[in-house]
Amino acid sequence: MKSTLAPGVSYRLQTQVNSHHLVPALFPDSPPIATMPRVLATAWLVALMEHACILALEPHLDVGEASVGTSIDLKHLAPTPEAIRIAIEVGCIEVHKRRSVWSIVARDEVEEIGRATHERIIVESHRFAGSLAAKEKLLAQART
């Protein structure tokens, strides 16, 4: 990790809500979900917030490093329909060794739609991949 990662680092992600971001698209084969309102799913709001933090962190990582999310405390405040533009603003509020904490605010064209605090840990990509491969091997052995 580069020494440039510090409180105050910020990033703004802008995107548009598409049909695959809507609640009914999460589980279209589930009648209770398929009939829910066509608004931005909370799961997608989380994903977009994580994406913004990943992009904010990227310039501060060394070669062979990546970041993984470890927690998010989210308030989804307002519904957001398809085709509306949203902006997600993230700001680093704490760095301790490989751990960073981010304050996040999401707004659509009308109002604030979500607010969160998100924690990410910087990992060495090859070590993380090795841990995942070991787990997959154990799972394969357990299934045979």
Side-chain angles (χ1 to χ4, degrees):
M1 174 179 81
K2 297 176 182 162
S3 61
T4 56
L5 180 59
V9 167
S10 64
Y11 188 84
R12 180 181 170 110
L13 173 68
Q14 294 183 306
T15 191
Q16 183 171 328
V17 176
N18 296 309
S19 61
H20 69 276
H21 296 132
L22 305 178
V23 174
L26 287 177
F27 298 100
D29 296 336
S30 170
I33 292 178
T35 59
M36 290 186 76
R38 293 179 51 79
V39 295
L40 176 65
T42 301
W44 268 105
L45 182 56
V46 169
L48 292 167
M49 287 177 165
E50 278 204 274
H51 187 207
C53 288
I54 290 166
L55 293 173
L57 266 165
E58 188 176 36
H60 308 283
L61 300 178
D62 289 324
V63 173
E65 290 181 329
S67 70
V68 294
T70 56
S71 72
I72 190 160
D73 181 12
L74 167 74
K75 302 287 186 214
H76 195 161
L77 303 170
T80 305
E82 183 176 4
I84 198 167
R85 293 204 51 85
I86 60 174
I88 299 173
E89 297 177 11
V90 304
C92 183
I93 57 174
E94 183 181 338
V95 177
H96 182 71
K97 297 183 181 180
R98 295 185 155 288
R99 176 183 162 269
S100 60
V101 180
W102 299 81
S103 175
I104 308 169
V105 176
R107 292 180 177 84
D108 65 21
E109 297 172 47
V110 177
E111 62 189 331
E112 184 175 318
I113 60 169
R115 181 173 288 271
T117 301
H118 178 47
E119 181 179 289
R120 299 193 70 78
I121 301 293
I122 296 173
V123 298
E124 294 177 25
S125 298
H126 73 279
R127 289 185 67 195
F128 189 83
S131 296
L132 182 58
K135 190 172 202 171
E136 290 170 338
K137 183 178 179 181
L138 288 173
L139 181 61
Q141 290 170 348
R143 289 183 174 171
T144 57

